Structures are given as structure tokens and as C-alpha cells.
Amino acid sequence: MQIECSRGIANLAAIVARAVERLQGAGAKPFIIPAMGSHGGATPEGQTRILADYGVTPETVGAPIEPAMETRRLGSLSTGSEVVLSSVALDADGILVVNRVKPHTDFTGSLGSGLMKMLVVGLGKHAGAARFHRAAQSLGYEAALRETARVILGSAPVLGGLALIEDGFHQTARISALQPGDFERGEEQLLLEARELMPGLPFD
């Protein structure tokens, strides 16, 4: 069982540790894959170090970390661009995605950062992130995100996701469990809530 984690999330270590505990209680043997695209210098050591900076280590969450960067091809987009995913994740019996849902800093729409982006960019590792950004230049960010995520969800052993929302003080406001078939619609609804909780200036 593989749990995929993002960066800079409030209470991330506690949330992951609790997920690990529940999975172990169900008889699974979970491990952690850093889901960071090309961050950390696109190296296993760099991504493991970033996780540690956020408090996620084998000791704090009770599960080993598998930071390998190798990927395998899953399919292709309408543009012909390849869709790839972490080889370690594809070898797991199941994938649980953990990420915060929030507006993205580079594009606006009904999807932002969330479980789908974590699948596409994070779990795609450096190779997947590069392919996604190239596809986005022709399809647009949101269209490329949806199409790529659909290929992954149709081929990879994704069991579900924990979608997190933070309030205006960057504290956990909600944890929603979503099944793979509910990722798109669920994230759209959660993004609306996340926008409502964001801090703002008290004037136009």
C-alpha cells in the first residue's frame, strides 16, 4: 500500500501517521512516496529531505519512504504526449493520495491543486511533471490536468484520496475521503469551499 504526500501542508505528519495506522490495522503494509514532481533537485535524496523538513519520516509516520524517481508509461493524451507514473507506485497493490485542495498560483478554473494534480505532477515524478507542462501549453492547464488524471485513474491502482482543506490561518479545516471516481467532482466542490476560507482584504 502506497501513500502519496504533498508539501507544505498543515498537520501533514499527523494526518499521514493516522492513515498509516488505519491501513496497518486493516492488514496493509503502507509506505510513503514523496510526490513532488521535480522538486528537491529531482533526486530521491532531495525529496526525502523535503519530506523530513515537514516532519514526515519513517519514525514519525510509522512507515518506510520509497523515493525512487523511475516512471513507466501508462498511455497518451489526445496531443500524443505520454502519460507516465512512478514505477514504485504502479508496483503497489493500492495507492492512497493525500493532498491539500486549494487554488493554484499559475492558473484559475474549477480545479486547482489537489488530488488530481498530485497524481499527474507529483506521482508523475520529474518525467511526468515535464510532460504535463508541455501538454498544458497546447491544451491549457486544466484540460491537460483532467485528461492526464483520467488516464492515470483508468490504469493505476488508485484506491482513493484524502483531500484536505485549510482555513485562513493555514490550519486543517476539513479532511474528505474521496473514491477515485469522485476525484473530479469532489475537488470542484472542495475548491469552492477552499476559496471561501481564504483570507482577504476587507475592501474591493
Side-chain angles (χ1 to χ4, degrees), residues 76-143:
S76 60
L77 304 181
S78 56
T79 60
S81 177
E82 282 190 331
V83 176
V84 300
L85 203 74
S86 161
S87 297
V88 175
L90 289 174
D91 289 336
D93 294 323
I95 300 168
L96 176 67
V97 189
V98 180
N99 197 19
R100 173 183 50 202
V101 175
K102 67 180 184 67
H104 198 276
T105 54
D106 291 336
F107 65 93
T108 58
S110 54
L111 288 177
S113 292
L115 301 179
M116 294 175 66
K117 180 174 178 287
M118 191 56 42
L119 280 175
V120 172
V121 180
L123 201 53
K125 296 293 186 171
H126 174 64
R131 284 168 171 78
F132 164 72
H133 287 108
R134 284 198 296 270
Q137 292 178 3
S138 56
L139 293 173
Y141 275 97
E142 186 169 336

Side-chain angles (χ1 to χ4, degrees), residues 54-75:
Y54 288 104
V56 177
T57 67
E59 294 75 24
T60 60
V61 302
I65 295 174
E66 300 288 347
M69 299 295 293
E70 289 77 17
T71 60
R72 292 206 302 267
R73 183 182 183 277
L74 282 181

